[in-house]
Amino acid sequence: MTGIEDVSRSGKPAVVAHRGASEEMPEHTLGAYELALAGGADGLECDVRLTSDHELVCIHDRTIDRTSDGTGIVSEMSLAELRDLDFGSWHPSGKPASVLTLRELLTLTLDWRRPVRLFVETKHPVRYGSLVEQKLLGLLQEFGVASPPSADHSRAVVISFSSAGVWRIRRHAPMLPTILLGDTARVLGGSAATAVGATGIGPSIDTLRHYPDLVDRAAAAGRVTYCWTVDELVDVQLCADLGVRWLATNRPAKVRDWLVTVD
Ligand code: G3P
Ligand code: CA
């Protein structure tokens, strides 16, 4: 059985590729995720949104303007319309790329030659509200990963800044691990994570620098810590020192190398 211990190295944080290897390749593209996996990432992170025909696509922003050669609002466009656009050439690496669906990313993740975990972030507030979690759960069920034997053995983790979004997952798929993301220690150090049954908290690296005790407080409540976005050696060292469980980075291969050297 695949467990967290299978994908971590001697108690050090596991490396999650934030939007793929998104420093080297355009974020949320197949190439960015394949590069992250080839570089040894333990997990992959993606943001998801619903298209007008209710397909989950891996796009961070509300619009496609920054990351494609088109313009428009994701929720007002069909998957076919998105498929006609180039989501790669805007990036300095300069290669054309297609929009990536969550179905395609799940397939890549679950077919990879070693066990890898997928961290799916639902964005809120959005036009389709709770339909995002409904569609996400449907897809995870279809792939057979919505009811793991335990959170530790799950191939999928649902993460969100929205406590309502986390709760919807917890209520309908209680064995799936969930991370309540937060920009402030006030949110993550309080009772919010307990209220929605999150199995972990997700502070930014800036929040963690100011409130390092968040990790121990989460652990005392039985929760793990996922920290984002950790791209500098000094911050990787901090996460390792504090006992952060998952570290999300745009530079997965480099961070993996650094983790070999930190104590
Ligand atoms: O992994 C969490 C992190 O991605 C949250 O911020 O804006 O990059 O989605 P954002
Ligand atoms: Ca994200």
Side-chain angles (χ1 to χ4, degrees):
M1 191 177 287
T2 303
I4 280 180
E5 53 284 357
D6 298 319
V7 293
S8 79
R9 291 168 299 281
S10 60
K12 292 180 181 177
V15 176
V16 178
H18 186 250
R19 312 183 195 177
S22 56
E23 185 177 69
E24 286 184 73
M25 298 283 283
E27 67 185 55
H28 289 121
T29 60
L30 190 61
Y33 288 108
E34 285 175 341
L35 185 62
L37 292 170
D42 301 299
L44 306 175
E45 187 262 6
C46 68
D47 303 291
V48 292
R49 291 180 178 274
L50 279 175
T51 61
S52 61
D53 47 348
H54 298 171
E55 294 290 337
L56 284 165
V57 288
C58 303
I59 297 178
H60 178 272
D61 301 357
R62 180 172 164 271
T63 73
I64 57 166
D65 301 16
R66 180 179 62 86
T67 57
S68 81
D69 59 351
T71 58
I73 297 170
V74 177
S75 62
E76 293 179 354
M77 303 179 78
S78 67
L79 179 57
E81 286 174 311
L82 294 176
R83 287 221 191 268
D84 277 344
L85 299 171
D86 173 8
F87 280 78
S89 297
W90 64 274
H91 189 268
S93 60
K95 290 197 191 87
S98 302
V99 70
L100 185 66
T101 64
L102 184 61
R103 176 181 294 279
E104 290 162 343
L105 183 55
L106 263 169
T107 302
L108 175 73
T109 306
L110 298 178
D111 285 353
W112 194 247
R113 52 183 175 259
R114 55 188 166 75
V116 177
R117 214 177 295 271
L118 183 60
F119 293 72
V120 182
E121 180 179 348
T122 62
K123 291 294 192 193
H124 291 285
V126 285
R127 173 182 309 232
Y128 300 116
S130 62
L131 188 63
V132 176
E133 281 77 24
Q134 208 177 305
K135 289 282 179 184
L136 172 56
L137 279 174
L139 200 57
L140 296 178
Q141 276 157 5
E142 188 185 320
F143 278 79
V145 294
S147 306
S150 75
D152 273 0
H153 294 89
S154 182
R155 297 295 294 277
V157 182
V158 180
I159 70 179
S160 189
F161 287 100
S162 163
S163 51
V166 169
W167 171 240
R168 285 194 282 272
I169 296 294
R170 190 67 174 159
R171 190 153 50 108
H172 296 293
M175 298 310 284
L176 266 183
T178 48
I179 303 283
L180 181 64
L181 302 171
D183 285 321
T184 65
R186 190 179 57 78
V187 171
L188 299 178
S191 57
T194 304
V196 297
T199 56
I201 59 162
S204 68
I205 184 61
D206 192 48
T207 299
L208 202 63
R209 281 190 215 112
H210 288 95
Y211 301 97
D213 59 314
L214 277 174
V215 179
D216 278 350
R217 287 165 64 187
R223 279 188 278 278
V224 295
T225 300
Y226 164 105
C227 185
W228 51 278
T229 305
V230 187
D231 286 346
E232 304 301 329
L233 175 57
V234 64
D235 292 326
V236 171
Q237 179 78 62
L238 175 69
C239 287
D241 290 347
L242 293 176
V244 166
R245 186 69 196 77
W246 292 313
L247 171 171
T249 177
N250 299 317
R251 307 168 152 179
K254 190 174 284 185
V255 167
R256 200 171 192 279
D257 286 348
W258 285 340
L259 279 167
V260 173
T261 62
V262 302
D263 294 332

